[in-house]
Amino acid sequence: MLGARAAALRPGYGFVLSRAVGPFGAFLALAFVMQLVVVPWAGPFYEKLLMDIGINCLLAVSLNLVNGFTGQFSIGHAGFMAVGGYVAGAVTYYGSFVLWGSPAVHGGFLGGGDLLFLAGCLVGGLFSAGAGYLVGLPSLRLRGDYLAIVTLGFGEILRVLLQQTNDVIFVPAQIEAATPWQMATALGGALGFSGIPFYTTVFWVFVMLGLLLIVAFRLKESSEGRAFLSIRENEIAAEAMGIDTTRYKVRAFVLAAFFAGIAGALFAHETGTTLNPRELGFQKSFDIVIMVVLGGMGSISGALVAAVLLTVLPEFLREFADWRLVIYALSLIIMMRFRPQGLFGIREIWELWRKPPGASPAGRGAS
Amino acid sequence: MTAPILDVRAISIAFGGLKAVTDFSLSLPAGALQGLIGPNGAGKTTVFNLLTGVYRPQTGEIHLDGRRVDGLKPNRIAAAGLARTFQNIRLFGDLTVLDNVRVACHVRAETGLAAAIFRTRAHYGEEAAIRERALSLLEIFGLSHRAGEYARNLPYGDQRRLEIARALATGPKVLLLDEPAAGMNPQEKRALADLIALVRRQFGLTVLLIEHDMGLVMNICEAITVIDHGVTIARGTPAEVQADPAVIEAYLGAPDEPPPASAPAPAPDSAKADP
Ligand SMILES: Nc1ncnc2c1ncn2[C@@H]1O[C@H](COP(=O)(O)OP(=O)(O)OP(=O)(O)O)[C@@H](O)[C@H]1O
Ligand SMILES: [Mg+2]
């Protein structure tokens, strides 16, 4: 029905190539500028802060695919971060031993070590996506509250499992003798996985964030992405219009888990962070949920702004860091009362000048 | 006579002890425009919910264009060519008018997630085709000038028409309209009746219409099925049905009950009832 017209309306190759590849180039350039211009100028404190900001942006924007786009309520995002972080960490740490006999950073930009790190990010993301599929498929058939409970449970179970892992092996001779299974279960337990080489740079963080932003915006402006949004808007109507709601919820979940896994991988290889089970528990999940709720459910730019704000504030306001939980809880309550749709609502910041949502009820809330 | 495009054979459903629909049968020839009427709570919307897979029939079979569809999920039934509107409007309120229609085009889309993310040529072609199709539907329904507005901000009558435009965007063979004129004034109702006749001709549709407004139903429907308490009590041309004593009794109530103030009354609050 669409087929013939769709074929007739295909644009030229030049247009497609520039539109399809252009944004990748733009984000790559931005990442280079960040690394080569901003970082040397700003110094190590801001370098670390930029990486933290980027990682939190990855987490907030990816969770937004589930909570904002499809209107589900997942509160276990840090669990997927942990999967990605531990898998990627194991890949680079033990991989470095196997390849180069030591876990130290190996080679320069795009050298052997960097490539191993990128492979780790990819594998971590894929494992996390797999976990997302396993958690999502059964639970996304359920209504909202159940999903929240299942995702919360997933994060907690994972935390306990990671706490039970063995100490990290750091003696070369022992690693040589170890089986892959022994390595995979030697992740540091409750003490955390120490010794992972520091491969994460501002460049890589912004490359990954660029990828996610491209995916998120392209989704939002495509038929596939509108299928996600329709579920948030009215699930019964979406189904009646032919949208396979379970399938699209699972897709959102798997995509979000993939990028959370990559965020975890970046976190694991960042200086000044420890990859330990406590760090990636419910507390972290809650932080990410707050970013999405504050930024606005479905607003990519809103999630970005909230992630930046909530990363920067605690760094500069010690007071804020101490009172963080209280302030979060209070601001949530105030928001629910006065602006339940989030700071920026469900629209992108540049769409805010449009007419505000009117009082006339449509679709939503109907039985 | 050719095989019916929608063939419903004795479907039933009970909610707990309440027999909402009992042995409902219907045979819609291709191109027909028929009505389904009955007093409040008769089970009309429940029939639509059964046909579209919201509820699974406990007995009976549903065949759409020769294919058995009962037991399928709602999205599969929509893909098979059965579209509906909702009595209580269920638009995608925070999407634009254009996007409401474009969502419904998705069921006919062929490119997938990868094409959307990597922006292939096929993706651009399909997006353009979807946009074109959605805009032409909005044009027919006089909603073009509102394409960029959020659906929740539309006036009531426009929301009702957007519901129909959206249903049509799925490319249905059979269209189910659940009180499409509810809450409209007589003038709007007449315009809507013309619109239904127009799209039916233009898209070669088969239409089943639930409507409380007897004038509208009697005017445009070729045949009418009347249900009461989930049971089919009459079937025939508008004139036959109007003269049927069982129908008159169903609408006026049994002789020992106090009759309602006005005869076949359109329910003003019916728009707020369940799906
Ligand atoms: N999900 C449900 N659970 C329990 N009872 C239901 C359910 N859906 C419908 N019913 C009941 O089934 C009966 C038929 O309802 P239905 O909505 O189909 O009536 P209707 O003919 O569409 O009425 P109206 O003209 O008011 O729209 C009613 O008694 C209603 O309360
Ligand atoms: Mg009804």
Side-chain angles (χ1 to χ4, degrees):
Chain A
M1 177 163 322
L2 288 166
R5 277 309 279 164
L9 289 171
R10 283 183 189 187
Y13 285 101
F15 172 87
V16 172
L17 202 65
S18 65
R19 293 286 291 270
V21 179
F24 290 104
F27 276 110
L28 205 60
L30 175 75
F32 267 117
V33 169
M34 284 287 199
Q35 183 69 50
L36 298 177
V37 181
V38 178
V39 167
W41 171 75
F45 173 77
Y46 287 97
E47 178 178 6
K48 163 90 171 114
L49 187 59
L50 273 175
M51 289 193 282
D52 287 345
I53 287 175
I55 290 172
N56 281 337
C57 284
L58 268 163
L59 291 166
V61 174
S62 60
L63 183 64
N64 200 16
L65 294 178
V66 174
N67 291 23
F69 277 31
T70 54
Q72 308 302 299
F73 201 65
S74 166
I75 52 176
H77 214 45
F80 297 111
M81 190 185 172
V83 172
Y86 273 88
V87 169
V91 166
T92 50
Y93 181 81
Y94 290 111
S96 294
F97 263 114
V98 171
L99 290 170
W100 305 302
S102 109
V105 169
H106 186 92
F109 177 63
L110 283 184
D114 248 7
L115 295 182
L116 182 65
F117 163 63
L118 284 182
C121 286
L122 184 67
V123 175
L126 289 177
F127 265 82
S128 179
Y133 186 76
L134 291 181
V135 176
L137 194 61
S139 49
L140 285 165
R141 293 174 187 280
L142 306 172
R143 295 278 147 193
D145 310 349
Y146 295 101
L147 178 67
I149 293 166
V150 171
T151 52
L152 181 67
F154 159 72
E156 289 305 290
I157 291 169
L158 193 70
R159 186 174 61 81
V160 172
L161 282 180
L162 286 172
Q163 278 172 348
Q164 305 307 315
T165 56
N166 301 319
D167 290 346
V168 177
I169 316 172
F170 53 88
V171 181
Q174 286 177 0
I175 290 181
E176 254 168 61
T179 63
W181 175 251
Q182 279 170 332
M183 289 189 216
T185 51
L187 303 174
L191 290 177
F193 194 161
S194 53
I196 300 174
F198 299 138
Y199 281 113
T200 301
T201 58
V202 169
F203 175 78
W204 287 123
V205 170
F206 278 81
V207 164
M208 298 302 177
L209 181 58
L211 283 180
L212 172 58
L213 289 177
I214 289 172
V215 168
F217 276 114
R218 285 185 172 180
L219 266 181
K220 210 171 180 187
E221 277 154 35
S222 69
S223 197
E224 285 281 313
R226 285 189 291 270
F228 285 41
L229 301 178
S230 71
I231 298 172
R232 172 193 76 198
E233 291 298 312
N234 194 315
E235 197 166 339
I236 291 178
E239 272 180 358
M241 296 308 132
I243 305 295
D244 187 344
T245 52
T246 305
R247 178 193 180 118
Y248 281 95
K249 284 190 223 168
V250 171
R251 280 187 172 185
F253 214 67
V254 168
L255 263 180
F258 177 74
F259 282 99
I262 288 186
L266 293 168
F267 177 82
H269 296 80
E270 192 188 2
T271 36
T273 56
T274 23
L275 186 65
N276 72 36
R278 237 174 314 114
E279 200 71 29
L280 302 181
F282 174 67
Q283 181 85 54
K284 182 70 186 170
S285 289
F286 188 67
D287 284 356
I288 308 168
V289 169
I290 294 277
M291 290 173 192
V292 172
V293 173
L294 257 184
M297 304 285 226
S299 170
I300 300 168
S301 46
L304 282 177
V305 170
V308 173
L309 274 180
L310 293 184
T311 315
V312 171
L313 275 183
E315 287 296 330
F316 291 97
L317 302 174
R318 280 229 55 82
E319 299 287 318
F320 183 88
D322 292 342
W323 289 88
R324 199 177 52 141
L325 279 186
V326 177
I327 294 173
Y328 280 5
L330 274 180
S331 54
L332 262 191
I333 293 170
I334 294 170
M335 287 247 316
M336 290 306 167
R337 173 68 187 78
F338 294 104
R339 208 174 154 73
Q341 68 273 45
L343 224 48
F344 300 100
I346 62 168
R347 323 216 185 288
E348 299 306 332
I349 291 171
W350 49 89
E351 289 172 347
L352 283 179
W353 53 267
R354 283 199 193 191
K355 283 188 190 172
S360 84
R364 266 198 199 191
S367 57
Chain B
M1 216 181 98
T2 53
I5 191 147
L6 181 66
D7 191 11
V8 184
R9 300 178 195 162
I11 55 170
S12 314
I13 192 170
F15 299 111
L18 177 78
K19 289 180 162 179
V21 173
T22 311
D23 288 340
F24 178 84
S25 296
L26 181 72
S27 174
L28 276 184
L33 171 48
Q34 296 199 0
L36 176 62
I37 66 171
N40 283 131
K44 306 180 293 295
T45 299
T46 306
V47 167
F48 275 19
N49 284 336
L50 287 167
L51 296 180
T52 53
V54 175
Y55 303 137
R56 182 191 279 260
Q58 288 157 351
T59 70
E61 293 178 12
I62 302 165
H63 296 255
L64 178 65
D65 205 9
R67 188 173 150 210
R68 190 162 170 189
V69 295
D70 56 276
L72 296 184
K73 293 205 305 175
N75 59 291
R76 300 282 304 279
I77 295 179
L82 192 61
R84 73 176 292 180
T85 65
F86 292 93
Q87 177 178 3
N88 57 333
I89 296 173
R90 282 181 179 277
L91 291 172
F92 306 125
D94 279 312
L95 299 187
T96 63
V97 168
L98 177 64
D99 281 351
N100 267 269
V101 181
R102 287 202 287 185
V103 165
C105 294
H106 184 65
V107 67
R108 303 293 163 210
E110 280 155 18
T111 67
L113 189 62
I117 287 174
F118 294 108
R119 300 268 136 151
T120 61
R121 253 182 104 222
H123 162 80
Y124 281 109
E126 195 164 80
E127 283 294 323
I130 287 175
R131 188 185 178 82
E132 189 179 80
R133 181 178 158 82
L135 286 174
S136 78
L137 278 166
L138 290 180
E139 180 77 46
I140 294 172
F141 284 82
L143 292 167
S144 301
H145 62 294
R146 297 200 183 272
E149 277 182 49
Y150 296 113
R152 64 164 62 243
N153 294 344
L154 290 189
Y156 186 75
D158 284 350
Q159 293 199 359
R160 286 242 168 257
R161 275 179 296 143
L162 179 55
E163 275 253 344
I164 305 177
R166 184 179 67 171
L168 280 177
T170 64
K173 296 168 183 154
V174 177
L175 178 62
L176 309 178
L177 300 174
D178 197 345
E179 301 197 24
M184 289 186 175
N185 62 36
Q187 203 181 336
E188 285 175 314
K189 280 183 184 175
R190 226 168 304 124
L192 185 77
D194 292 341
L195 202 53
I196 293 171
L198 174 85
V199 293
R200 175 183 164 216
R201 237 178 303 117
Q202 189 164 339
F203 295 94
L205 281 178
T206 307
V207 181
L208 182 62
L209 175 75
I210 294 177
E211 187 49 63
H212 272 293
D213 186 305
M214 285 307 148
L216 186 72
V217 177
M218 299 295 166
N219 261 334
I220 67 175
C221 293
E222 297 139 0
I224 292 172
T225 303
V226 190
I227 59 175
D228 188 23
H229 298 297
V231 181
T232 307
I233 56 170
R235 194 191 292 278
T237 63
E240 286 166 3
V241 162
Q242 228 163 354
D244 194 308
V247 176
I248 295 168
E249 184 178 309
Y251 272 94
L252 294 180
D256 53 340
E257 282 173 24
S262 67
D269 61 338
S270 61
K272 290 181 199 84
D274 224 50

